[in-house]
Amino acid sequence: MHPIKVETEKGHEIVTRLILSQIEQGQIVPGQKLPSVVDLSISFGVGRSTIREALSALKAMGWVDVRHGGGTFVKKILPSDVQPGAGDPFLGAESVREILEVRKVLEVGTVALAADRRNKDDLNKLQTILTRMELAMINNDTYDGERADVEFHSAIAAASHNSLLIQLMDSLTQRLTETIGKTRELWFYEDKSSASRLLEEHKNIYEAIAHGDKSRAVELIEAHLTKVENVLNKRGGTSTTELERHGFYKK
């Protein structure tokens, strides 16, 4: 007889479920601003990192918005008011996967050319963006972190000095902004990766470009983009069930 594995809820899962319950019961209403991380930490008797993980999960599921410098607000239109499953962070994964495939094909080419053609101005721009990413991480500024992420990849394209590749990247900017926000949430929430690890990956890509190491740059950008693609493949078709098991999502 095989032993039965009993899984217990983690702290952030409990907090997520309790906040979600308050929203569903009308104790916290659509559009309402949630207490600060410090106040929530005191209220639930847990650490601030636990609260941040819970808020990240709620944002990934579409229940809250995190506004730059303004705090966390309950969505004015709740996932449960739209349609069943709208709160699933993996809903529409096929669209994200297609964008990731396009990004991989495009960015492998741009990063290879950037490693060959980058100049001092290109490197300075990439360094400036990395500094912004680091500040966003320190300040827990999700909004600016996502913007800097998009700009970093666009700056790599610019460093290729190929006008057609730059135009193609520009045409993808809006979709890139949408998918980077979503894929960052998937990565943090599902892969349990940290912002510091994500920053380190971008720094390593920069170093490869700066040293003109084309093969290393290509290897790193492929690994960077494949990581979220693997999460999507791993989770495809089971996300709703998994979230229900943890009390994150209800039909």
Side-chain angles (χ1 to χ4, degrees):
M1 181 176 178
H2 296 290
I4 298 174
K5 184 179 178 181
V6 178
E7 296 189 15
T8 57
E9 284 186 297
K10 297 181 177 63
H12 75 275
E13 294 173 347
I14 296 172
V15 173
T16 301
R17 177 167 50 79
L18 291 175
I19 294 176
L20 183 54
S21 176
Q22 290 177 2
I23 296 172
E24 290 178 325
Q25 293 173 16
Q27 297 172 8
I28 305 176
V29 299
Q32 181 177 335
K33 182 178 181 180
L34 295 181
S36 67
V37 170
V38 174
D39 289 341
L40 286 172
S41 175
I42 295 171
S43 176
F44 285 104
V46 296
R48 297 180 189 180
S49 61
T50 298
I51 296 297
R52 291 192 183 99
E53 284 189 75
L55 294 178
S56 177
L58 288 167
K59 180 178 182 240
M61 291 185 286
W63 289 90
V64 302
D65 274 326
V66 180
R67 299 180 188 173
H68 176 50
T72 303
F73 292 78
V74 178
K75 289 266 194 179
K76 291 184 178 180
I77 299 177
L78 302 177
S80 56
D81 294 334
V82 181
Q83 60 182 9
D88 185 351
F90 305 95
L91 195 65
E94 193 61 40
S95 175
V96 176
R97 184 180 290 111
E98 288 175 356
I99 294 298
L100 281 171
E101 288 173 355
V102 172
R103 285 186 61 191
K104 189 184 293 185
V105 171
L106 186 59
E107 293 192 53
V108 163
T110 57
V111 81
L113 289 175
D116 276 341
R117 302 175 179 178
R118 79 280 180 271
N119 58 36
K120 186 176 180 180
D121 288 340
D122 296 324
L123 296 178
N124 286 340
K125 184 173 182 179
L126 286 166
Q127 281 186 319
T128 299
I129 295 170
L130 285 172
T131 299
R132 278 184 51 209
M133 291 179 71
E134 190 160 13
L135 287 173
M137 180 191 72
I138 293 170
N139 297 326
N140 196 34
D141 188 338
T142 304
Y143 176 77
D144 201 45
E146 291 176 4
R147 286 185 59 193
D149 201 329
V150 173
E151 290 176 18
F152 182 84
H153 291 272
S154 294
I156 290 175
S160 74
H161 295 280
N162 181 302
S163 60
L164 291 178
L165 284 175
I166 294 169
Q167 287 177 43
L168 285 171
M169 279 296 291
D170 286 345
S171 70
L172 277 176
T173 296
Q174 181 58 40
R175 295 301 301 274
L176 205 55
T177 301
E178 295 169 0
T179 58
I180 279 184
K182 187 166 185 177
T183 53
R184 281 165 67 100
E185 289 167 8
L186 290 174
W187 195 25
F188 293 155
Y189 176 61
E190 180 62 26
D191 246 14
K192 310 304 180 190
S193 296
S194 65
S196 59
R197 182 175 166 189
L198 183 59
L199 175 64
E200 190 64 27
E201 288 201 5
H202 284 87
K203 284 184 175 180
N204 289 338
I205 292 169
Y206 164 79
E207 290 296 335
I209 293 172
H211 288 93
D213 192 338
K214 184 190 299 186
S215 60
R216 178 63 173 160
V218 167
E219 177 188 346
L220 289 169
I221 203 77
E222 284 185 326
H224 181 69
L225 296 174
T226 297
K227 187 170 296 183
V228 175
E229 191 174 51
N230 287 341
V231 173
L232 288 170
N233 290 333
K234 171 187 172 185
R235 304 299 299 186
T238 63
S239 56
T240 301
T241 302
E242 194 69 12
L243 288 171
E244 284 176 346
R245 184 170 67 81
H246 290 294
F248 286 171
Y249 170 79
K250 298 178 182 178
K251 291 183 179 179

